[in-house]
Amino acid sequence: MLQVRNLTKVYDDGTVALKNVSFEVEDGDFLVIIGLSGSGKSTLLRCINRLIDPTEGQILWNGIDLAQLEGEELRNARRQIGMVFQQFNLVRRSTVMTNVLSGRLGYTNTWRSLTGRFSQADMQKARGALQRLGIEDQAHKRADELSGGQQQRVGIARALMQDPKMILADEPVASLDPVLAHSIMQHLEKLNRQDGITVLCSLHYLDLVQRYASRVIGLRDGNLVYQGTKADVLAMTDAQFKEIYGEEAERLGSGLQGEMKTTTGSAT
Amino acid sequence: MIEKPPLAPSKPFNRDEERKPSLVDAWGAAIASILIPGAGQMLARRIRRGLTILASFVTILGLLAWRMRLTARFDTEVWDIIIKSFRLDPYLLVIAISVLVLYIWSIYDATLLAKDNSKNPIGVFFWIMVVFFMLGWQIGQIDPVRLVTEADEAGPALGRVLWPWSRAITYPETLISGIVEIQSPCTDTPFPAAKPLPEEPWLVADPTCGVPSEQDGSPGTLIHLEGGNFSPDTLVELWWRDPIGNQFRQRAEGEYVSLIPEDDGTFSIEVIFPYRLIPPTAREEAQIWKIEARQVAAVGDPVISQEMTLVIEKMIETIFIGMMATFFGIILSLPLSFFAARNLMSANRITLFFYYLTRTLLNIIRSIEPLIWAIIFVIIVGLGPYAGILALTLHSAAALGKLYSEAIESIDPGPIEAIQATGANWLQMVMYAVVPQVIPPFVSFTIYRWDINIRMSTIIGFVGGGGIGFLLAQWIRLLDYRAAGLAVWFIALTVAILDYVSAEIRARYV
């Protein structure tokens, strides 16, 4: 269970990205975080695996406060938390295989990894992960030769290599077209359902939120402004949207298939 | 998370800023500008425009006065200088007239602005540029005609540079000589005559004795010389050896005597027994003089000339100067580049201080040309390739440090956080997220630098830094254009080959 308590993040330039945010995530949840660009979604996810150091608050994960970990302990915690990025963040010039294997770095002896000698078991595991995501035939291509959807699958395979108990997905489909977006989300859903991996995912599109989320939290200007179950989301009203997305928010399309469109651009 | 700095709101350029009306009318502005060019514009509340015109005018007048003084350097009176310089260089008169036009134009410009000071007529600035250009033409002593007319005379020298290959080979030479003895003065018993020899070069004289010419000009005995077994078509010199062993060349009518043998290697010539200051006692009794016919002839197959050998040796030295300098430059610049990368050094004030320190140091070193560094290192370690290597190393380290650091600064931070998120440690992060990203630009910059270093090492010898440049400079000064041509050819060939090689490497690894 992940318990975030009174989490606050103030950047060096004085920007307050998160204000006293508290929520809980049960193991096996598919938690979707919604909110405008700049509302603190990315900061929240990065605080959990400490790519960003929170200013105040606790992040209790199975009783351990992630916010207090340093060095070896932090790395050991990180390797159990996979992360998927909007821009995929693959090493573009390395092969797909190397990118996937780099998911094992936290488990690999430094010297072995510097010389690129991963164990047979790791290689087997990597092939398995690629197969599971349907891109095993791309293994020896360079990462930048792949299409966007394929690159994101490599990103998921890399996270999968960590044997994660939790996956943080920072707008994993914001750079992809809607068809691919569903395909990627289905992969994440499968990991959530079949492997019992907790997923924390930030999303922009309302139909995706309604389709995949088991729980939803909403952020606005760093404040937690919404918490709801799947049923709550399905019954969400325009007023609640405006609470999260601001007055300019508009609902395109109709009803459940609607897509949230905001006047600001996509996330940086 | 990629943080983008917010775009600074660009200040729109506004031509129609609030501007108070001119202080004077058109006439006032004209009179002010007649007194001081630019003053009229200033009174029309166009201070910066007026100052620019005034500064340009003063600079132009100063430059013109300097050039006129230089042209009429022996005159002292101002009027004489003006007249003389215009006569010696009519082009100065053209410039002077242009300055006058500029003066009038600036007055006209002032009247325009006094009427409406929001206007921006650019004519006067255009004319300032024209006058500066004319001055530049005069100061630079530009003379396109000379490029054409003088090219004619440079032809032979350039031809030797362009096609120097006759200097690349040489023929082994040997000294061929035939000697005949002459008795002086004659005695009763005739001096035995020499005989032609079957195999060796020979020289016979007729008569075999005689008297030298006198100091008062009366000629000595006329001697008929015949020789054989010499090399045809090659110059033969005639040398005398007087009884006390001094050698001197035979002259006729003031010129040295030299001749060219027939195709069968024989020759014949008549020479006058020359005057020679001999101690009087030595004249009493008969003395033996000698005549020697000397020839330096090429024999055997051609061999590579000494110059060619030198060029090849120094070319190898040059390539290694460039190589070692690149190598040391890489080693020095790699650590420096991390200090000079802002994204790695902006953590706190201390690291930021090192960032600025490294950057400043690199910029200073880089701004001084390798040739200057070479002069400094020649003073420290003496002439030779070591000084050249040090100079190029320093410059390469600074240049590569800057290029590498910029490559590090421009890497995508995404993979770094992705690798960190897997629980990798710092070394693994560098190895898996930074290195793959910086290798292509590093390889590319290194090859680029290697190209530059090879080119630079060819001329670093001009200041004593070793390599082929030293030979090139020396041969140019000795007017040995063929040898210089050899060096130029080898430089061009080497640079072309290495260019090709580096392009291939670049295509394969970048």
Side-chain angles (χ1 to χ4, degrees):
Chain A
M1 185 159 101
L2 180 73
Q3 295 165 295
V4 175
R5 289 185 186 162
N6 306 100
L7 192 66
T8 298
K9 171 65 191 177
V10 182
Y11 283 109
D12 289 341
D13 61 1
T15 313
V16 183
L18 293 173
K19 284 178 213 157
N20 212 12
V21 172
S22 301
F23 62 95
E24 290 183 2
V25 189
E26 295 293 334
D27 288 343
D29 265 358
F30 197 117
L31 178 84
V32 168
I33 305 162
I34 57 175
L36 276 171
S37 298
S39 62
K41 304 190 298 294
S42 291
T43 306
L44 175 60
L45 288 173
R46 281 170 170 73
C47 280
I48 292 170
N49 69 354
R50 291 283 304 285
L51 288 178
I52 292 173
D53 288 329
T55 313
E56 270 173 50
Q58 291 177 308
I59 303 163
L60 294 171
W61 191 37
N62 300 331
I64 300 163
D65 186 2
L66 296 175
Q68 300 300 323
L69 296 183
E70 285 303 329
E72 185 75 29
E73 286 178 340
L74 174 62
R75 290 199 292 275
N76 282 341
R78 267 181 184 166
R79 68 182 186 188
Q80 298 174 55
I81 306 173
M83 188 152 187
V84 179
F85 301 84
Q86 178 186 353
Q87 299 295 343
F88 327 131
N89 287 359
L90 304 180
V91 180
R92 299 170 60 81
R93 295 182 50 84
S94 299
T95 61
V96 166
M97 197 64 182
T98 309
N99 270 291
V100 174
L101 281 169
S102 67
R104 289 305 285 177
L105 285 175
Y107 296 91
T108 313
N109 169 296
T110 305
W111 181 243
R112 281 186 75 95
S113 60
L114 289 189
T115 52
R117 290 177 300 140
F118 287 92
S119 68
Q120 277 305 313
D122 287 347
M123 303 287 278
Q124 199 58 46
K125 198 178 174 67
R127 278 191 284 273
L130 286 171
Q131 204 161 9
R132 194 167 169 189
L133 288 149
I135 44 170
E136 67 272 26
D137 50 338
Q138 313 288 338
H140 298 291
K141 282 192 184 168
R142 263 170 55 161
D144 56 2
E145 290 172 17
L146 269 53
S147 67
Q150 288 172 324
Q151 289 194 34
Q152 191 57 293
R153 287 193 232 177
V154 176
I156 295 173
R158 177 172 64 190
L160 198 53
M161 290 296 283
Q162 294 173 236
D163 290 327
K165 296 192 172 59
M166 176 160 70
I167 286 181
L168 310 173
D170 183 19
E171 305 196 20
V173 297
S175 307
L176 302 172
D177 62 54
V179 179
L180 281 171
H182 270 291
S183 153
I184 293 298
M185 289 308 294
Q186 277 161 9
H187 280 298
L188 285 175
E189 186 180 43
K190 239 184 260 175
L191 297 183
N192 176 248
R193 297 256 172 92
Q194 294 174 358
D195 303 28
I197 299 171
T198 312
V199 177
L200 274 69
C201 179
S202 59
L203 284 176
H204 260 317
Y205 300 106
L206 181 62
D207 53 350
L208 292 178
V209 179
Q210 289 173 327
R211 161 77 177 75
Y212 295 101
S214 70
R215 283 189 57 230
V216 176
I217 59 172
L219 288 175
R220 187 177 175 189
D221 296 334
N223 293 304
L224 190 70
V225 293
Y226 179 82
Q227 285 207 63
T229 60
K230 192 172 184 86
D232 293 332
V233 180
L234 291 173
M236 212 177 212
T237 63
D238 279 6
Q240 283 171 311
F241 280 127
K242 286 188 177 169
E243 176 76 17
I244 301 164
Y245 277 98
E247 289 303 317
E248 321 87 67
E250 265 183 274
R251 193 174 214 187
L252 287 187
S254 60
L256 299 184
Q257 302 310 312
E259 184 180 305
M260 200 45 115
K261 180 95 178 174
T262 68
T263 47
T264 45
S266 65
T268 51
Chain B
M1 185 151 135
I2 306 157
E3 304 265 352
K4 280 186 191 152
L7 283 172
S10 59
K11 200 173 158 191
F13 180 70
N14 190 3
R15 281 177 180 278
D16 308 316
E17 290 172 54
E18 280 301 309
R19 189 172 273 142
K20 289 180 198 157
S22 169
L23 291 171
V24 289
D25 64 357
W27 283 108
I31 291 163
S33 267
I34 287 168
L35 295 174
I36 304 169
Q41 283 85 348
M42 289 186 227
L43 287 176
R45 292 192 188 276
R46 298 293 294 270
I47 304 286
R48 244 182 292 172
R49 189 184 180 96
L51 284 176
T52 311
I53 290 172
L54 181 59
S56 309
F57 201 80
V58 169
T59 312
I60 287 169
L61 271 186
L63 288 171
L64 183 62
W66 167 52
R67 294 314 288 185
M68 283 164 72
R69 187 81 190 77
L70 217 60
T71 308
R73 69 187 69 185
F74 301 113
D75 290 274
T76 47
E77 295 298 316
V78 175
W79 191 246
D80 291 345
I81 292 174
I82 293 172
I83 298 295
K84 188 122 172 217
S85 62
F86 286 166
R87 214 177 55 228
L88 288 175
D89 191 353
Y91 187 62
L92 284 170
L93 181 61
V94 178
I95 298 175
I97 292 168
S98 310
V99 175
L100 198 65
V101 172
L102 175 65
Y103 177 64
I104 295 165
W105 203 324
S106 77
I107 297 166
Y108 171 65
D109 186 74
T111 62
L112 282 183
L113 288 175
K115 280 180 204 155
D116 179 1
N117 66 359
S118 64
K119 274 189 185 161
N120 266 309
I122 57 161
V124 67
F125 291 108
F126 166 75
W127 196 248
I128 286 173
M129 297 293 286
V130 168
V131 176
F132 267 111
F133 185 80
M134 291 167 93
L135 275 166
W137 191 283
Q138 210 273 340
I139 292 171
Q141 299 172 13
I142 295 171
D143 188 357
V145 178
R146 206 165 72 197
L147 189 62
V148 181
T149 53
E150 310 267 311
D152 214 34
E153 291 169 34
L158 285 180
R160 271 174 236 144
V161 173
L162 287 177
W163 202 250
W165 300 110
S166 64
R167 199 82 166 81
I169 49 163
T170 184
Y171 291 85
E173 289 175 333
T174 185
L175 183 71
I176 300 174
S177 91
I179 297 176
V180 67
E181 292 182 342
I182 305 282
Q183 194 189 37
S184 171
C186 290
T187 52
D188 298 341
T189 47
F191 195 68
K195 295 238 163 52
L197 299 169
E199 296 290 331
E200 305 160 41
W202 53 265
L203 190 66
V204 295
D206 177 35
T208 58
C209 67
V211 287
S213 306
E214 293 297 330
Q215 196 172 17
D216 59 16
S218 52
T221 316
L222 191 72
I223 299 172
H224 181 79
L225 289 172
E226 271 184 42
N229 280 339
F230 283 82
S231 181
D233 295 334
T234 309
L235 212 65
V236 176
E237 295 174 356
L238 286 180
W239 289 75
W240 281 83
R241 192 173 300 163
D242 67 21
I244 52 174
N246 290 328
Q247 296 188 49
F248 56 98
R249 268 186 87 173
Q250 173 79 50
R251 284 170 186 267
E253 289 164 0
E255 300 289 324
Y256 287 132
V257 170
S258 43
L259 47 99
I260 298 197
E262 306 289 325
D263 287 347
D264 59 359
T266 62
F267 62 83
S268 68
I269 190 172
E270 289 184 339
V271 295
I272 294 170
F273 203 142
Y275 164 74
R276 197 71 180 154
L277 184 65
I278 300 288
T281 48
R283 292 174 176 238
E284 304 286 317
E285 50 199 278
Q287 300 279 345
I288 302 298
W289 296 56
K290 285 178 183 165
I291 305 176
E292 184 181 13
R294 280 188 203 167
Q295 192 182 38
V296 178
V299 291
D301 295 325
V303 292
I304 290 172
S305 70
Q306 200 189 357
E307 287 75 14
M308 184 73 171
T309 320
L310 266 174
V311 163
I312 293 171
E313 283 172 3
K314 286 290 171 181
M315 201 63 234
I316 294 169
E317 190 180 291
T318 304
I319 294 170
F320 275 92
I321 289 173
M323 200 188 81
M324 296 311 284
T326 312
F327 178 70
F328 290 134
I330 295 169
I331 288 179
L332 281 176
S333 62
L334 276 178
L336 280 178
S337 65
F338 285 90
F339 283 112
R342 202 188 176 103
N343 56 346
L344 301 182
M345 299 299 284
S346 54
N348 59 50
R349 276 162 196 273
I350 297 165
T351 54
L352 210 57
F353 169 76
F354 277 106
Y355 161 79
Y356 281 115
L357 189 75
T358 319
R359 270 281 150 123
T360 312
L361 198 71
L362 292 184
N363 282 339
I364 291 172
I365 295 174
R366 213 159 37 85
S367 63
I368 298 172
E369 279 291 310
L371 278 181
I372 314 271
W373 283 119
I375 292 171
I376 293 169
F377 282 114
V378 164
I379 295 169
I380 299 172
V381 301
L383 294 168
Y386 183 42
I389 289 173
L390 285 173
L392 287 177
T393 297
L394 205 61
H395 201 258
S396 302
L400 281 178
K402 183 180 156 66
L403 291 173
Y404 286 171
S405 65
E406 274 161 12
I408 295 171
E409 280 175 359
S410 65
I411 61 170
D412 176 8
I416 294 177
E417 63 174 2
I419 297 295
Q420 276 176 341
T422 64
N425 60 32
W426 189 83
L427 263 179
Q428 290 172 322
M429 184 273 286
V430 169
M431 196 64 196
Y432 278 81
V434 179
V435 170
Q437 291 195 68
V438 296
I439 277 184
F442 273 33
V443 170
S444 177
F445 291 142
T446 308
I447 293 170
Y448 169 65
R449 195 64 219 175
W450 152 264
D451 272 9
I452 292 176
N453 278 348
I454 292 291
R455 267 191 286 266
M456 283 306 306
S457 62
T458 59
I459 59 161
I460 207 110
F462 271 77
V463 294
I468 200 163
F470 181 71
L471 290 179
L472 188 56
Q474 182 183 318
W475 284 331
I476 288 173
R477 284 175 201 143
L478 290 174
L479 309 182
D480 190 346
Y481 289 121
R482 273 194 222 279
L486 282 180
V488 170
W489 265 90
F490 268 79
I491 290 171
L493 284 175
T494 309
V495 169
I497 291 170
L498 290 174
D499 259 4
Y500 173 76
V501 170
S502 59
E504 283 290 303
I505 294 174
R506 203 190 300 262
R508 217 158 285 182
Y509 294 99
V510 181

